[in-house]
Amino acid sequence: MAAPLTRRAANKLVRELCDASRPEEQKMALAMIPATHLIGHRDSLPAIGAAGAIPPLVQLLGAHVHTHSQELAAGALACLAQHESIVETITDAGAIPPLLQLLGPASSDGVQRGAAATLVGLVQSPDCLSSRSRPVAAIIAAGGIPLLTRALGPGSPARVQQNAAVTLSYLAHNAEMAVSIAFAGAIPLLVQLLGPGSAAPAAAALALTGLVHPETAVAIVAAGAISPLVQLLGAGSTVDAQKCAAAVLNKLARHATSVTAIAAAGAIPPLVQLLGRRSSPDAQEMAAGALMGLAQNAEVAVSIAEAGGTTALFFFFFSAGCWPSISGEEGGADWESEEEGAPEEGPLTLAQTAAAQALSLRFAKTFPH
């Protein structure tokens, strides 16, 4: 394996990036950045950024630049954006407006893929969960929500659709922005990406998870999201798709107006199935949370029991070594651990709370006081 990039080598690379009079050397320098990332020298990326690579890379995103150079520059920025210490430098260099413009049909597929990947990297930093973060503020100021929404459409490459959906999922953590995303028309496009043949069902479900707020839940149901979400719960879906679909249903089930539609779409059997040992822990937790919300409806609680949900939930918390102590109050449950030396009561996981909630509702109706 080659040695990490030295400061001297980083400075040389930047000089070559800036020298448009020697296009071959410039292209080699552009290719060197993702190569540095791919061979495992991710720690060299901050040195490249500190040497001044970002401004010339942003300039190479311009409309006057050859497509191949644009593609290489966007790919280089996508690699650099994966390092948190460089995110604000890229943002402050003015990269976000041209990156958003490159998502359009006038750009090549490769340029669009690089631009979309860079935008994902810029919003994945934990600091970006706040609407006050620089990348988020820059995306909003540059009119990014309509442009990202357009990138969800059938005219975009599959990877661009996927990354646009992931970027929107991060923006949607803020309720006000979620409403803006819904108003821009993203929900029907995301629902289309849930369906058969889509290359981005998990990303679309992830974005819809972020979009579920009291102001948007009705619109998501009205757009026909529930049926394809239920289909994604099945064994033919990827682990990520199952988890994300269950997460959307988990959030929708907290809204009384969605419960009947979820049950009518046949969600209960696959949600119960996801509680099994073959499912991922995250999918189990989301499925249990969805059943908790659905069980608030008395008729649906009976359907959960008839689908084997009571037994599945019982074995689910049994395998965790915890038992519910069903209280007289609807939905109430305390937990006791069987592990030696463990406290009788302690913080519960969402899945444990969900199991207790669904069971207690059913028991309260079966064995009334």
Side-chain angles (χ1 to χ4, degrees), residues 18-368:
C18 296
D19 190 356
S21 66
R22 306 177 73 176
E24 292 306 315
E25 285 80 355
Q26 188 181 57
K27 289 179 181 179
M28 289 181 64
L30 285 167
M32 180 63 69
I33 296 174
T36 300
H37 176 76
L38 289 172
I39 63 176
H41 292 318
R42 186 174 180 271
D43 292 341
S44 295
L45 297 179
I48 295 173
I54 307 302
L57 286 173
V58 173
Q59 289 182 0
L60 288 169
L61 299 176
H64 63 285
V65 178
H66 189 275
T67 298
H68 184 51
S69 295
Q70 279 185 328
E71 184 174 336
L72 290 172
L77 284 169
C79 292
L80 291 166
Q82 295 182 41
H83 208 289
E84 289 183 20
S85 66
I86 311 177
V87 166
E88 289 192 354
T89 304
I90 296 173
T91 303
D92 293 344
I96 286 177
L99 286 168
L100 289 167
Q101 293 300 322
L102 289 175
L103 295 178
S107 300
S108 70
D109 287 2
V111 170
Q112 291 187 65
R113 285 194 295 267
T118 304
L119 290 166
V120 169
L122 292 175
V123 300
Q124 280 183 332
S125 169
D127 294 339
C128 289
L129 295 181
S130 167
S131 60
R132 294 186 296 272
S133 75
R134 291 184 192 175
V136 170
I139 289 172
I140 302 303
I145 289 178
L147 293 171
L148 288 163
T149 298
R150 182 182 65 182
L152 298 172
S156 297
R159 183 59 63 88
V160 174
Q161 292 174 324
Q162 178 180 344
N163 284 331
V166 174
T167 302
L168 287 171
S169 76
Y170 281 90
L171 298 179
H173 281 286
N174 178 283
E176 184 178 346
M177 282 193 285
V179 173
S180 297
I181 293 168
F183 186 77
I187 290 174
L189 293 172
L190 289 168
V191 171
Q192 289 180 9
L193 290 176
L194 296 173
S198 168
L206 179 65
L208 286 171
T209 303
L211 285 172
V212 179
H213 291 276
E215 301 86 351
T216 57
V218 172
I220 291 172
V221 175
I226 292 178
S227 180
L229 286 169
V230 172
Q231 294 299 316
L232 288 176
L233 298 175
S237 299
T238 65
V239 171
D240 281 346
Q242 287 180 329
K243 175 189 71 175
C244 292
V248 183
L249 293 172
N250 175 28
K251 293 187 72 175
L252 285 174
R254 301 174 193 177
H255 302 276
T257 55
S258 306
V259 169
T260 303
I262 294 172
I268 292 173
L271 285 171
V272 171
Q273 190 71 26
L274 279 181
L275 293 175
R277 294 181 179 179
R278 294 184 179 181
S279 300
S280 71
D282 287 341
Q284 290 177 326
E285 186 169 325
M286 292 300 106
L291 290 169
M292 175 180 68
L294 294 172
Q296 300 298 319
N297 180 294
E299 293 182 2
V300 176
V302 172
S303 298
I304 292 172
E306 291 175 346
T310 303
T311 301
L313 287 164
F314 177 88
F315 281 105
F316 176 70
F317 66 73
F318 174 81
S319 66
C322 296
W323 293 90
S325 174
I326 306 301
S327 71
E329 298 179 3
E330 187 172 79
D334 294 324
W335 285 78
E336 297 179 355
S337 173
E338 287 192 328
E339 296 181 8
E340 185 177 353
E344 289 189 352
E345 295 182 4
L348 310 181
T349 67
L350 173 61
Q352 291 169 341
T353 305
Q357 180 82 357
L359 281 172
S360 63
L361 284 170
R362 176 56 182 159
F363 287 173
K365 293 171 176 60
T366 306
F367 308 107

